[in-house]
Amino acid sequence: MIKIKNLHASIDGKEILKGLNLEVKAGEVHAIMGPNGAGKSTLASILAGREEYEVTDGSVDFDGTDLLELSTEDRAREGLFLAFQYPVEIPGVSNVNFLRTALNEIREYKGEEQISAKDFMKMVREKSAIVELDSKLASRSVNEGFSGGEKKRNEIFQMAMLEPKLAILDETDSGLDIDALRIVANGVNTLKSDKNATIVITHYQRLLDYIVPDFVHVLYDGRIVKTGTKELALELEEKGYDWIKNEVSTNV
Amino acid sequence: MESTTISINKLNAFRANLSSSTLAIPAEKLSQAFDFLAANDFPTTRHEDWKYTRLARIANLKFEPQSNTISQETTKICGNSLRFVFVDGTLTEKPSTLPTGLVCKNIQECNADELQNISANSTIFECLNLAYAQTGIYLQLASKTVLDQAIEIVQINTANSFLAIRNFIDVASFSQAEIIFNYPSAEANNSFVNAVSDVFVGKNAHLKIYKIQSEKGANYHVSRENVVQEADSNFTISTSTINSHFVRNDINVQVNGQNSETNLFGSYLLKENQHVDNHTVIDHRVANCLSNELYKGVIYDKGTAVFNGKVFVRKDAQKINAFQSNANVLMSDDASVNSKPELEIYADDVKCSHGSTTGQLDEEAVFYLRARGIGEQSARNLVVSAFVNDALEKIENEEVLNYIYGVIQKDFGWEF
Ligand SMILES: Nc1ncnc2c1ncn2[C@@H]1O[C@H](COP(=O)(O)OP(=O)(O)OP(=O)(O)O)[C@@H](O)[C@H]1O
Ligand SMILES: [Mg+2]
């Protein structure tokens, strides 16, 4: 699905990613954990195509296409989805209207027919039910006046609508109470299939009880420094990151 | 009072070849206007009201007449409207019949009696207008008359010339009307339209004015509405300026009767070297009134916009609610706005607020939309049109709103 090789990236001349390698296959769930400032959101942003970052070395292959060559919108159209750590409020732009535009632009890109108003509304009803998002929220301005939990649920709602191949969830669990967490995790699990894949970025092992990862990676100082199974997350929760940092510095 | 002295009087030169108004304007008002013009010149940017709008380009206009042809029909905005079309000041289309209670005609047909209340003026462009007024609409709506058709007044300019348009609108007590002033694009490319409207909103009368300016070309437009509101009245004006070369709008509302409501809405979309200046004054002379003002602008390229909104609340005008807001988005580094909301409050029991914001397009929002698969250009258009739509949505007449959406779509490529 996605193959990231030796990715180096910087912003304002400061190197953030320092040779990152990661491969995710269809049907898999990968968790990325790591201390604040390690570069987790940076990785997500670069994959989504944020232009402020400069990729200085390395490659990203997304299902056979060179991801880094594509514009942000084309990455989305190819099936990449980023659930934002901080979803943006867009006053005056209705949630469903923009989703219809998005869906149709994606369809156009793939040479498919536009979705009918009826099918679209049916889809909105079905998918908003998955994340228990009030249909009134679905038609309001994008994220405007949404609570933190509603914003995160809206991200998953959009993901459900767009049916991406690869979804990257950047701290979608942060700030959620246990009920909201269950709803979000349930949404992700419902959408999971052997044709798509998910990368969850999180600080908390708790989420991984609900979205069970096949692999857990530790991102530290711009690189994946350790990879394990879901037990690694428990260990990190218990012991923090210092032992990893020590391991890394003794290895160098 | 405007008075400026510069060595060469440009105004005199400008007036040299104009022919005086042939309208039945009361003689003393006309001579006052001529006296004022003789004693003054075009205001410079040293004049407070013209600080950010240079008139040199108007003062130096040389009109080269060209043949008058209209290459295409002007869209009728409202299916069932009473439409009056003026081409270069000549009335070329009017409804065959008018509803009872409505007098609406070319102001040229008015007698001195009908024009006795035309406002006496104290600014250059009002005086210039009165002195040389050739055309316009005279509208008198008898009391207790509710019009269910909008009145649509189209002013098309094909000649490269100076055109002074004088409108006189009197909506008597308990009446209701909707008027559209449409200044569509035309063949002219070096013209100057100066429009002044006297507007009287009687007791408990409701009047909505939609003003649409989309003249393009190197055409200049200076217009003014002088509005007087009586008790329990409701006046709304929405001004949309889209892709116009040079526009100055003055709206002056005098609220003379209690329990009145005043709404001023505006939207302006500029590109290239365009310049749009909106000046508004709401003068709350009496208590217990509400005024609401919202202007929003988007400026591309080297466009420059000006907003100046004054709200006066007189000493005994208690319990006034006055809200004013102006917001702008600059789409390029060369675009600029001068925005100045002004409140002058002499009463103590009032609720007033004003605000002005100017910023760039929210790039985070654009990125968010792109990350969902929406192309960059449509993402920008989506964000910026939502921004302006706030002000446009105040237009309650859907046909008018759709017409404006159409003009914006054509000239700026936005979808609503
Ligand atoms: N626009 C920017 N300009 C300069 N430095 C930046 C910018 N964005 C991120 N950084 C820096 O890059 C590093 C990585 O930030 P990033 O947001 O990717 O961390 P993170 O792992 O997501 O952290 P957190 O767990 O707090 O979300 C940090 O040191 C941060 O300060
Ligand atoms: Mg982060």
Side-chain angles (χ1 to χ4, degrees), chain A residues 178-214:
Chain A
I178 194 71
D179 291 330
L181 184 77
R182 274 203 201 102
I183 292 168
V184 163
N186 180 50
V188 173
N189 290 331
T190 310
L191 300 166
K192 208 178 129 181
S193 81
D194 55 5
K195 294 202 180 52
N196 60 29
T198 314
I199 298 175
V200 287
I201 296 171
T202 182
H203 279 287
Y204 307 108
Q205 184 277 332
R206 185 182 67 159
L207 175 70
L208 307 179
D209 285 339
Y210 297 95
I211 304 174
V212 182
D214 299 295

mmCIF file of all heavy atoms in Angstrom, chain A residues 178-214:
data_model
loop_
_atom_site.group_PDB
_atom_site.id
_atom_site.type_symbol
_atom_site.label_atom_id
_atom_site.label_comp_id
_atom_site.label_asym_id
_atom_site.label_seq_id
_atom_site.Cartn_x
_atom_site.Cartn_y
_atom_site.Cartn_z
ATOM 1 N N ILE A 178 -14.444 8.440 27.047
ATOM 2 C CA ILE A 178 -14.433 7.020 26.695
ATOM 3 C C ILE A 178 -15.544 6.663 25.700
ATOM 4 O O ILE A 178 -15.352 5.857 24.798
ATOM 5 C CB ILE A 178 -14.464 6.128 27.969
ATOM 6 C CG1 ILE A 178 -14.108 4.680 27.639
ATOM 7 C CG2 ILE A 178 -15.794 6.219 28.690
ATOM 8 C CD1 ILE A 178 -12.646 4.494 27.282
ATOM 9 N N ASP A 179 -16.694 7.338 25.835
ATOM 10 C CA ASP A 179 -17.795 7.045 24.910
ATOM 11 C C ASP A 179 -17.449 7.476 23.490
ATOM 12 O O ASP A 179 -17.650 6.723 22.534
ATOM 13 C CB ASP A 179 -19.083 7.756 25.354
ATOM 14 C CG ASP A 179 -19.616 7.151 26.643
ATOM 15 O OD1 ASP A 179 -19.394 5.932 26.848
ATOM 16 O OD2 ASP A 179 -20.226 7.891 27.439
ATOM 17 N N ALA A 180 -16.921 8.684 23.388
ATOM 18 C CA ALA A 180 -16.543 9.207 22.073
ATOM 19 C C ALA A 180 -15.438 8.339 21.475
ATOM 20 O O ALA A 180 -15.430 8.048 20.272
ATOM 21 C CB ALA A 180 -16.097 10.649 22.186
ATOM 22 N N LEU A 181 -14.527 7.910 22.337
ATOM 23 C CA LEU A 181 -13.424 7.062 21.870
ATOM 24 C C LEU A 181 -13.965 5.767 21.270
ATOM 25 O O LEU A 181 -13.549 5.332 20.201
ATOM 26 C CB LEU A 181 -12.489 6.749 23.041
ATOM 27 C CG LEU A 181 -11.243 5.946 22.665
ATOM 28 C CD1 LEU A 181 -10.225 6.846 21.988
ATOM 29 C CD2 LEU A 181 -10.630 5.281 23.886
ATOM 30 N N ARG A 182 -14.922 5.171 21.966
ATOM 31 C CA ARG A 182 -15.537 3.929 21.471
ATOM 32 C C ARG A 182 -16.208 4.164 20.124
ATOM 33 O O ARG A 182 -16.083 3.348 19.217
ATOM 34 C CB ARG A 182 -16.601 3.443 22.460
ATOM 35 C CG ARG A 182 -16.016 2.588 23.554
ATOM 36 C CD ARG A 182 -17.112 1.671 24.145
ATOM 37 N NE ARG A 182 -16.696 1.242 25.467
ATOM 38 C CZ ARG A 182 -17.160 1.764 26.606
ATOM 39 N NH1 ARG A 182 -18.095 2.684 26.575
ATOM 40 N NH2 ARG A 182 -16.701 1.349 27.759
ATOM 41 N N ILE A 183 -16.907 5.294 20.025
ATOM 42 C CA ILE A 183 -17.617 5.599 18.775
ATOM 43 C C ILE A 183 -16.633 5.744 17.625
ATOM 44 O O ILE A 183 -16.806 5.171 16.550
ATOM 45 C CB ILE A 183 -18.463 6.888 18.934
ATOM 46 C CG1 ILE A 183 -19.611 6.633 19.917
ATOM 47 C CG2 ILE A 183 -19.000 7.352 17.588
ATOM 48 C CD1 ILE A 183 -20.312 7.900 20.365
ATOM 49 N N VAL A 184 -15.570 6.507 17.880
ATOM 50 C CA VAL A 184 -14.565 6.730 16.843
ATOM 51 C C VAL A 184 -13.903 5.406 16.444
ATOM 52 O O VAL A 184 -13.777 5.077 15.260
ATOM 53 C CB VAL A 184 -13.514 7.761 17.325
ATOM 54 C CG1 VAL A 184 -12.265 7.703 16.468
ATOM 55 C CG2 VAL A 184 -14.120 9.163 17.305
ATOM 56 N N ALA A 185 -13.516 4.624 17.455
ATOM 57 C CA ALA A 185 -12.843 3.348 17.183
ATOM 58 C C ALA A 185 -13.774 2.407 16.432
ATOM 59 O O ALA A 185 -13.374 1.736 15.473
ATOM 60 C CB ALA A 185 -12.385 2.712 18.496
ATOM 61 N N ASN A 186 -15.021 2.394 16.852
ATOM 62 C CA ASN A 186 -16.013 1.562 16.180
ATOM 63 C C ASN A 186 -16.152 1.961 14.707
ATOM 64 O O ASN A 186 -16.246 1.103 13.826
ATOM 65 C CB ASN A 186 -17.350 1.685 16.913
ATOM 66 C CG ASN A 186 -18.412 0.827 16.253
ATOM 67 O OD1 ASN A 186 -18.181 -0.357 16.005
ATOM 68 N ND2 ASN A 186 -19.546 1.422 15.936
ATOM 69 N N GLY A 187 -16.130 3.275 14.475
ATOM 70 C CA GLY A 187 -16.193 3.781 13.100
ATOM 71 C C GLY A 187 -15.026 3.251 12.286
ATOM 72 O O GLY A 187 -15.199 2.721 11.183
ATOM 73 N N VAL A 188 -13.846 3.385 12.840
ATOM 74 C CA VAL A 188 -12.644 2.939 12.130
ATOM 75 C C VAL A 188 -12.715 1.436 11.852
ATOM 76 O O VAL A 188 -12.425 0.973 10.747
ATOM 77 C CB VAL A 188 -11.370 3.296 12.935
ATOM 78 C CG1 VAL A 188 -10.132 2.684 12.291
ATOM 79 C CG2 VAL A 188 -11.242 4.801 13.071
ATOM 80 N N ASN A 189 -13.112 0.671 12.860
ATOM 81 C CA ASN A 189 -13.183 -0.786 12.698
ATOM 82 C C ASN A 189 -14.230 -1.205 11.674
ATOM 83 O O ASN A 189 -14.028 -2.149 10.918
ATOM 84 C CB ASN A 189 -13.475 -1.457 14.044
ATOM 85 C CG ASN A 189 -12.271 -1.349 14.975
ATOM 86 O OD1 ASN A 189 -11.134 -1.294 14.515
ATOM 87 N ND2 ASN A 189 -12.526 -1.276 16.271
ATOM 88 N N THR A 190 -15.353 -0.484 11.660
ATOM 89 C CA THR A 190 -16.411 -0.795 10.694
ATOM 90 C C THR A 190 -15.923 -0.597 9.265
ATOM 91 O O THR A 190 -16.308 -1.326 8.355
ATOM 92 C CB THR A 190 -17.638 0.123 10.938
ATOM 93 O OG1 THR A 190 -17.964 0.055 12.322
ATOM 94 C CG2 THR A 190 -18.835 -0.301 10.107
ATOM 95 N N LEU A 191 -15.077 0.403 9.087
ATOM 96 C CA LEU A 191 -14.631 0.741 7.734
ATOM 97 C C LEU A 191 -13.448 -0.101 7.276
ATOM 98 O O LEU A 191 -13.059 -0.089 6.118
ATOM 99 C CB LEU A 191 -14.274 2.226 7.672
ATOM 100 C CG LEU A 191 -15.431 3.172 8.018
ATOM 101 C CD1 LEU A 191 -14.927 4.579 8.268
ATOM 102 C CD2 LEU A 191 -16.484 3.158 6.915
ATOM 103 N N LYS A 192 -12.871 -0.829 8.225
ATOM 104 C CA LYS A 192 -11.688 -1.624 7.932
ATOM 105 C C LYS A 192 -12.001 -2.783 6.977
ATOM 106 O O LYS A 192 -13.044 -3.410 7.103
ATOM 107 C CB LYS A 192 -11.168 -2.186 9.256
ATOM 108 C CG LYS A 192 -9.696 -2.450 9.310
ATOM 109 C CD LYS A 192 -9.314 -2.957 10.687
ATOM 110 C CE LYS A 192 -8.499 -4.222 10.493
ATOM 111 N NZ LYS A 192 -8.096 -4.828 11.763
ATOM 112 N N SER A 193 -11.084 -2.993 6.041
ATOM 113 C CA SER A 193 -11.268 -4.156 5.157
ATOM 114 C C SER A 193 -9.892 -4.662 4.742
ATOM 115 O O SER A 193 -8.879 -4.081 5.121
ATOM 116 C CB SER A 193 -12.078 -3.758 3.921
ATOM 117 O OG SER A 193 -11.235 -3.130 2.980
ATOM 118 N N ASP A 194 -9.853 -5.711 3.968
ATOM 119 C CA ASP A 194 -8.531 -6.205 3.559
ATOM 120 C C ASP A 194 -7.975 -5.415 2.374
ATOM 121 O O ASP A 194 -6.889 -5.686 1.889
ATOM 122 C CB ASP A 194 -8.592 -7.713 3.245
ATOM 123 C CG ASP A 194 -9.659 -8.043 2.204
ATOM 124 O OD1 ASP A 194 -10.284 -7.081 1.667
ATOM 125 O OD2 ASP A 194 -9.868 -9.238 1.918
ATOM 126 N N LYS A 195 -8.762 -4.416 1.922
ATOM 127 C CA LYS A 195 -8.289 -3.607 0.802
ATOM 128 C C LYS A 195 -7.747 -2.260 1.263
ATOM 129 O O LYS A 195 -7.123 -1.538 0.499
ATOM 130 C CB LYS A 195 -9.419 -3.371 -0.205
ATOM 131 C CG LYS A 195 -9.862 -4.665 -0.878
ATOM 132 C CD LYS A 195 -10.552 -4.413 -2.188
ATOM 133 C CE LYS A 195 -10.969 -5.729 -2.827
ATOM 134 N NZ LYS A 195 -11.759 -6.603 -1.898
ATOM 135 N N ASN A 196 -8.048 -1.897 2.498
ATOM 136 C CA ASN A 196 -7.537 -0.609 2.970
ATOM 137 C C ASN A 196 -6.623 -0.785 4.176
ATOM 138 O O ASN A 196 -6.490 -1.880 4.719
ATOM 139 C CB ASN A 196 -8.672 0.380 3.250
ATOM 140 C CG ASN A 196 -9.635 -0.120 4.314
ATOM 141 O OD1 ASN A 196 -9.246 -0.875 5.211
ATOM 142 N ND2 ASN A 196 -10.887 0.301 4.213
ATOM 143 N N ALA A 197 -6.001 0.295 4.555
ATOM 144 C CA ALA A 197 -5.063 0.237 5.672
ATOM 145 C C ALA A 197 -5.188 1.499 6.508
ATOM 146 O O ALA A 197 -5.713 2.516 6.040
ATOM 147 C CB ALA A 197 -3.637 0.104 5.145
ATOM 148 N N THR A 198 -4.731 1.408 7.757
ATOM 149 C CA THR A 198 -4.860 2.537 8.671
ATOM 150 C C THR A 198 -3.568 2.763 9.436
ATOM 151 O O THR A 198 -2.939 1.799 9.893
ATOM 152 C CB THR A 198 -5.986 2.253 9.704
ATOM 153 O OG1 THR A 198 -7.129 1.741 9.029
ATOM 154 C CG2 THR A 198 -6.362 3.517 10.454
ATOM 155 N N ILE A 199 -3.181 4.040 9.528
ATOM 156 C CA ILE A 199 -2.077 4.395 10.417
ATOM 157 C C ILE A 199 -2.672 5.251 11.526
ATOM 158 O O ILE A 199 -3.276 6.294 11.244
ATOM 159 C CB ILE A 199 -0.987 5.196 9.678
ATOM 160 C CG1 ILE A 199 -0.361 4.361 8.547
ATOM 161 C CG2 ILE A 199 0.086 5.668 10.658
ATOM 162 C CD1 ILE A 199 0.645 5.137 7.685
ATOM 163 N N VAL A 200 -2.551 4.789 12.766
ATOM 164 C CA VAL A 200 -3.044 5.613 13.864
ATOM 165 C C VAL A 200 -1.876 6.194 14.644
ATOM 166 O O VAL A 200 -1.003 5.467 15.111
ATOM 167 C CB VAL A 200 -3.985 4.854 14.831
ATOM 168 C CG1 VAL A 200 -5.332 4.596 14.196
ATOM 169 C CG2 VAL A 200 -3.381 3.550 15.291
ATOM 170 N N ILE A 201 -1.858 7.514 14.724
ATOM 171 C CA ILE A 201 -0.850 8.189 15.526
ATOM 172 C C ILE A 201 -1.487 8.463 16.876
ATOM 173 O O ILE A 201 -2.590 9.025 16.936
ATOM 174 C CB ILE A 201 -0.431 9.509 14.852
ATOM 175 C CG1 ILE A 201 0.251 9.217 13.509
ATOM 176 C CG2 ILE A 201 0.475 10.322 15.771
ATOM 177 C CD1 ILE A 201 0.522 10.446 12.666
ATOM 178 N N THR A 202 -0.844 8.023 17.928
ATOM 179 C CA THR A 202 -1.458 8.249 19.237
ATOM 180 C C THR A 202 -0.417 8.328 20.349
ATOM 181 O O THR A 202 0.720 7.861 20.209
ATOM 182 C CB THR A 202 -2.480 7.146 19.582
ATOM 183 O OG1 THR A 202 -3.076 7.445 20.848
ATOM 184 C CG2 THR A 202 -1.827 5.774 19.646
ATOM 185 N N HIS A 203 -0.810 8.957 21.436
ATOM 186 C CA HIS A 203 0.015 8.981 22.637
ATOM 187 C C HIS A 203 -0.448 7.935 23.636
ATOM 188 O O HIS A 203 0.234 7.646 24.602
ATOM 189 C CB HIS A 203 -0.083 10.353 23.316
ATOM 190 C CG HIS A 203 0.800 11.375 22.700
ATOM 191 N ND1 HIS A 203 2.159 11.362 22.872
ATOM 192 C CD2 HIS A 203 0.531 12.438 21.920
ATOM 193 C CE1 HIS A 203 2.692 12.384 22.220
ATOM 194 N NE2 HIS A 203 1.719 13.051 21.623
ATOM 195 N N TYR A 204 -1.661 7.434 23.404
ATOM 196 C CA TYR A 204 -2.276 6.624 24.438
ATOM 197 C C TYR A 204 -2.532 5.200 23.999
ATOM 198 O O TYR A 204 -3.163 4.949 22.980
ATOM 199 C CB TYR A 204 -3.603 7.260 24.879
ATOM 200 C CG TYR A 204 -3.436 8.697 25.277
ATOM 201 C CD1 TYR A 204 -3.927 9.713 24.468
ATOM 202 C CD2 TYR A 204 -2.757 9.030 26.453
ATOM 203 C CE1 TYR A 204 -3.764 11.036 24.821
ATOM 204 C CE2 TYR A 204 -2.586 10.352 26.812
ATOM 205 C CZ TYR A 204 -3.086 11.351 25.992
ATOM 206 O OH TYR A 204 -2.912 12.655 26.338
ATOM 207 N N GLN A 205 -2.081 4.301 24.818
ATOM 208 C CA GLN A 205 -2.283 2.881 24.560
ATOM 209 C C GLN A 205 -3.776 2.556 24.531
ATOM 210 O O GLN A 205 -4.219 1.673 23.794
ATOM 211 C CB GLN A 205 -1.555 2.085 25.657
ATOM 212 C CG GLN A 205 -1.581 0.593 25.476
ATOM 213 C CD GLN A 205 -2.869 0.001 26.010
ATOM 214 O OE1 GLN A 205 -3.485 0.556 26.928
ATOM 215 N NE2 GLN A 205 -3.290 -1.118 25.423
ATOM 216 N N ARG A 206 -4.540 3.312 25.331
ATOM 217 C CA ARG A 206 -5.978 3.081 25.483
ATOM 218 C C ARG A 206 -6.700 2.867 24.141
ATOM 219 O O ARG A 206 -7.510 1.957 23.992
ATOM 220 C CB ARG A 206 -6.572 4.286 26.217
ATOM 221 C CG ARG A 206 -8.020 4.166 26.568
ATOM 222 C CD ARG A 206 -8.497 5.435 27.242
ATOM 223 N NE ARG A 206 -8.500 6.591 26.344
ATOM 224 C CZ ARG A 206 -9.225 7.692 26.547
ATOM 225 N NH1 ARG A 206 -9.971 7.795 27.624
ATOM 226 N NH2 ARG A 206 -9.180 8.697 25.697
ATOM 227 N N LEU A 207 -6.374 3.717 23.170
ATOM 228 C CA LEU A 207 -7.030 3.622 21.853
ATOM 229 C C LEU A 207 -6.807 2.248 21.228
ATOM 230 O O LEU A 207 -7.663 1.705 20.544
ATOM 231 C CB LEU A 207 -6.497 4.712 20.912
ATOM 232 C CG LEU A 207 -6.994 4.668 19.467
ATOM 233 C CD1 LEU A 207 -8.471 5.044 19.389
ATOM 234 C CD2 LEU A 207 -6.181 5.601 18.578
ATOM 235 N N LEU A 208 -5.614 1.708 21.505
ATOM 236 C CA LEU A 208 -5.227 0.465 20.841
ATOM 237 C C LEU A 208 -5.941 -0.750 21.416
ATOM 238 O O LEU A 208 -5.857 -1.848 20.859
ATOM 239 C CB LEU A 208 -3.706 0.302 20.886
ATOM 240 C CG LEU A 208 -2.950 1.525 20.333
ATOM 241 C CD1 LEU A 208 -1.452 1.308 20.417
ATOM 242 C CD2 LEU A 208 -3.367 1.850 18.898
ATOM 243 N N ASP A 209 -6.652 -0.555 22.534
ATOM 244 C CA ASP A 209 -7.544 -1.613 23.009
ATOM 245 C C ASP A 209 -8.748 -1.731 22.087
ATOM 246 O O ASP A 209 -9.375 -2.775 21.999
ATOM 247 C CB ASP A 209 -8.055 -1.295 24.426
ATOM 248 C CG ASP A 209 -6.952 -1.536 25.461
ATOM 249 O OD1 ASP A 209 -6.005 -2.291 25.151
ATOM 250 O OD2 ASP A 209 -7.048 -0.962 26.553
ATOM 251 N N TYR A 210 -9.077 -0.622 21.449
ATOM 252 C CA TYR A 210 -10.270 -0.595 20.590
ATOM 253 C C TYR A 210 -9.921 -0.772 19.117
ATOM 254 O O TYR A 210 -10.621 -1.423 18.372
ATOM 255 C CB TYR A 210 -11.038 0.720 20.786
ATOM 256 C CG TYR A 210 -11.553 0.865 22.193
ATOM 257 C CD1 TYR A 210 -10.832 1.571 23.150
ATOM 258 C CD2 TYR A 210 -12.754 0.261 22.570
ATOM 259 C CE1 TYR A 210 -11.297 1.688 24.439
ATOM 260 C CE2 TYR A 210 -13.230 0.368 23.861
ATOM 261 C CZ TYR A 210 -12.498 1.090 24.801
ATOM 262 O OH TYR A 210 -12.951 1.193 26.076
ATOM 263 N N ILE A 211 -8.829 -0.108 18.705
ATOM 264 C CA ILE A 211 -8.345 -0.332 17.343
ATOM 265 C C ILE A 211 -7.070 -1.154 17.491
ATOM 266 O O ILE A 211 -6.021 -0.617 17.825
ATOM 267 C CB ILE A 211 -8.032 0.997 16.625
ATOM 268 C CG1 ILE A 211 -9.258 1.918 16.626
ATOM 269 C CG2 ILE A 211 -7.573 0.740 15.187
ATOM 270 C CD1 ILE A 211 -8.972 3.300 16.053
ATOM 271 N N VAL A 212 -7.173 -2.438 17.260
ATOM 272 C CA VAL A 212 -6.037 -3.302 17.566
ATOM 273 C C VAL A 212 -5.026 -3.264 16.413
ATOM 274 O O VAL A 212 -5.352 -3.601 15.276
ATOM 275 C CB VAL A 212 -6.501 -4.749 17.826
ATOM 276 C CG1 VAL A 212 -5.312 -5.626 18.183
ATOM 277 C CG2 VAL A 212 -7.543 -4.761 18.938
ATOM 278 N N PRO A 213 -3.816 -2.800 16.717
ATOM 279 C CA PRO A 213 -2.822 -2.661 15.643
ATOM 280 C C PRO A 213 -2.088 -3.968 15.359
ATOM 281 O O PRO A 213 -1.910 -4.794 16.242
ATOM 282 C CB PRO A 213 -1.845 -1.641 16.233
ATOM 283 C CG PRO A 213 -1.912 -1.857 17.704
ATOM 284 C CD PRO A 213 -3.301 -2.364 18.027
ATOM 285 N N ASP A 214 -1.663 -4.126 14.111
ATOM 286 C CA ASP A 214 -0.809 -5.258 13.760
ATOM 287 C C ASP A 214 0.634 -4.954 14.136
ATOM 288 O O ASP A 214 1.400 -5.833 14.490
ATOM 289 C CB ASP A 214 -0.910 -5.536 12.259
ATOM 290 C CG ASP A 214 -2.336 -5.888 11.857
ATOM 291 O OD1 ASP A 214 -2.817 -6.935 12.319
ATOM 292 O OD2 ASP A 214 -2.974 -5.099 11.126
#
